[in-house]
Amino acid sequence: MSIKKDLKKEGIDIIGKLDTLTINSLAKNISSIISQTFPELNLNTNDLFRNISRLNMYYARLPQGVSAKYFYKNKSIYFSNTVDSKNLTAVAMHECIHYLQEVCDNNGNILRLGLCDYTSKSSHDVGINEAAVQLMASKCLNKPYENVKYFGINIPTNSPSYYTLECALVNQMAYVVGENVLFDSTLNSNDNFRNQFISLTSKKVFYNIEKNIDLLVESQEKLTSLYASLQEFDTDLYFIKESNKEINKQKDNIKKLFLDTQKLIFTSYFDSAINLVYTSKTIENYRNKLYLFKNYIGQVDGDTSFNDYYIDKMMELEKKYETDKTEITDLVVVKHNFISTLFRKIKTLFGFSPSYAKAKNN
């Protein structure tokens, strides 16, 4: 298939090419921002500039809702003709990261794109890579975190417009493993993030999360298609009725898939991590890490899954205090602090009283 046919299939209709001066200016801005944002990756700004400046860049008519698109077959970025020229750096960031993470064979066939391995027939990692790239782009652009409501889920995010649900889940995984590990694997296309997450949970858990994130992307794309169909057939009452049923079904599925995946992330990690808790220091580290996970979760009215889990784990820690005799002096001090602060923190953080928590366990 020719490039022209490929572009047509992607819904890309070229209007005109960006001039060299504009491309170089973009390359300079983006290479500088990326290298300064991720000093731990030891990136060379000049190398980044040379790579990005070689890209072809065009204005084009793109599918609705798409601001820019990187097309690996001809190493080109296509910007929507509706994008403000003053906003090109922000729009181009995500696509340039895609270009930098790309690994191809000698014939130009793509082998890997960050966390996405195209050589694996059973690969389920397109969604997780898109989310990781978007998290990198948001960090580069210094996007602030804000609370948004998406499919009835209150989510803390620095990507309110792109891959919001997927970014929230990958951000939770990064909290467990470490953000630096995620970004290293995303840009350098290695398995460090995957392997470390698996070592802390299990291979089955990791691949289930990957698959679920892909399903989230697919479900939201289907929802977009349903909305588009409604606009096209807005006079057919039967079609509208049936489409609305399917839309509501998809929304419910998306919400459930997100919550199930989120629960899988925190339960798989903290269930495993608690087995390594013995000393006062590891007990306190575990408690703090679980406690702070609340800042990453998406919340739904009436869903107390994380709250309940937190209480259960605190009770499990108390049981360790009672049974572990290896550091009895140290643990007595920790237990005193633990008992005096547990229910106060539950009350102030999760919005319900100690009496409620007690009743839940009676």
Side-chain angles (χ1 to χ4, degrees):
M1 186 180 292
S2 68
I3 292 296
K4 287 185 177 180
K5 289 182 179 179
D6 285 334
L7 293 177
K8 186 176 181 180
K9 185 178 179 181
E10 294 289 331
I12 299 172
D13 182 19
I14 298 174
I15 294 175
K17 190 173 183 179
L18 272 67
D19 61 82
T20 302
L21 184 62
T22 301
I23 292 174
N24 286 342
S25 178
L26 270 175
K28 182 179 179 180
N29 289 341
I30 290 172
S31 58
S32 177
I33 291 171
I34 291 176
S35 60
Q36 290 177 23
T37 304
F38 307 106
E40 66 282 350
L41 297 183
N42 297 314
L43 302 170
N44 185 294
T45 305
N46 291 331
D47 288 344
L48 291 176
F49 169 77
R50 279 192 291 270
N51 286 329
I52 296 171
S53 63
R54 291 170 184 162
L55 282 166
N56 298 306
M57 299 186 187
Y58 301 89
Y59 281 115
R61 282 178 282 270
L62 300 179
Q64 186 176 359
V66 179
S67 299
K69 176 81 174 177
Y70 171 64
F71 196 61
Y72 81 92
K73 290 186 178 181
N74 63 350
K75 312 299 183 192
S76 299
I77 295 179
Y78 299 91
F79 297 100
S80 170
N81 60 312
T82 62
V83 170
D84 187 342
S85 59
K86 296 178 181 178
N87 198 35
L88 283 180
T89 297
V91 175
M93 186 65 70
H94 183 105
E95 308 309 321
C96 285
I97 293 172
H98 269 317
Y99 168 65
L100 293 171
Q101 66 176 184
E102 178 183 276
V103 177
C104 295
D105 64 17
N106 293 331
N107 296 318
N109 299 311
I110 193 163
L111 301 176
R112 182 153 182 161
L113 204 62
L115 302 170
C116 185
D117 185 356
Y118 285 92
T119 64
S120 174
K121 293 182 180 179
S122 59
S123 179
H124 298 284
D125 40 26
V126 175
I128 198 171
N129 186 62
E130 285 292 349
V133 169
Q134 183 56 32
L135 287 172
M136 286 192 78
S138 293
K139 190 176 180 71
C140 283
L141 299 169
N142 201 26
K143 295 288 187 180
Y145 273 83
E146 57 183 291
N147 288 310
V148 299
K149 196 161 189 175
Y150 210 63
F151 296 103
I153 310 167
N154 292 302
I155 303 173
T157 182
N158 61 353
S159 180
S161 302
Y162 301 100
Y163 299 106
T164 306
L165 297 178
E166 297 82 356
C167 283
L169 294 173
V170 175
N171 211 21
Q172 292 171 17
M173 298 172 74
Y175 174 72
V176 167
V177 173
E179 193 178 66
N180 291 345
V181 181
L182 172 66
F183 293 150
D184 170 54
S185 289
T186 302
L187 197 63
N188 294 318
S189 294
N190 61 54
D191 288 327
N192 293 342
F193 176 75
R194 180 194 309 267
N195 292 340
Q196 288 199 39
F197 191 87
I198 287 173
S199 72
L200 296 171
T201 56
S202 72
K203 186 176 289 188
K204 180 180 179 181
V205 165
F206 182 83
Y207 288 117
N208 279 340
I209 292 169
E210 270 194 329
K211 181 180 70 175
N212 288 354
I213 291 176
D214 275 353
L215 288 174
L216 275 175
V217 174
E218 292 172 11
S219 296
Q220 289 171 92
E221 288 175 348
K222 185 173 182 179
L223 201 57
T224 299
S225 178
L226 285 167
Y227 281 126
S229 296
L230 269 180
Q231 292 180 343
E232 185 176 352
F233 300 98
D234 59 355
T235 58
D236 188 327
L237 295 180
Y238 176 78
F239 181 83
I240 292 172
K241 181 180 178 181
E242 293 303 307
S243 293
N244 280 327
K245 284 183 182 178
E246 184 61 26
I247 285 171
N248 290 330
K249 180 181 176 181
Q250 285 297 321
K251 286 182 176 179
D252 289 340
N253 288 341
I254 289 169
K255 181 191 290 187
K256 184 178 185 303
L257 187 57
F258 176 88
L259 293 176
D260 287 349
T261 307
Q262 174 175 264
K263 188 174 182 179
L264 179 59
I265 291 170
F266 67 74
T267 57
S268 62
Y269 170 67
F270 286 106
D271 281 354
S272 177
I274 203 168
N275 295 322
L276 303 177
V277 170
Y278 296 106
T279 68
S280 61
K281 183 177 180 180
T282 56
I283 287 168
E284 188 63 16
N285 288 343
Y286 178 93
R287 185 182 68 80
N288 285 335
K289 192 159 189 176
L290 176 57
Y291 174 74
L292 292 174
F293 192 85
K294 67 182 177 60
N295 296 325
Y296 295 83
I297 63 170
Q299 296 180 316
V300 173
D301 293 342
D303 178 30
T304 62
S305 297
F306 182 72
N307 302 357
D308 297 340
Y309 183 81
Y310 180 84
I311 295 170
D312 289 343
K313 288 302 166 189
M314 293 303 101
M315 295 301 102
E316 194 170 338
L317 284 183
E318 185 183 7
K319 186 176 180 181
K320 279 182 173 285
Y321 302 150
E322 299 290 351
T323 59
D324 195 301
K325 304 299 181 182
T326 59
E327 290 192 13
I328 187 166
T329 303
D330 212 7
L331 291 178
V332 167
V333 177
V334 175
K335 182 177 179 180
H336 175 74
N337 293 332
F338 169 81
I339 295 299
S340 65
T341 61
L342 170 59
F343 289 115
R344 173 173 55 80
K345 290 204 170 195
I346 290 171
K347 180 179 179 181
T348 57
L349 288 172
F350 301 134
F352 55 88
S353 67
S355 60
Y356 171 83
K358 185 176 181 180
K360 288 275 293 179
N361 290 279
N362 286 340

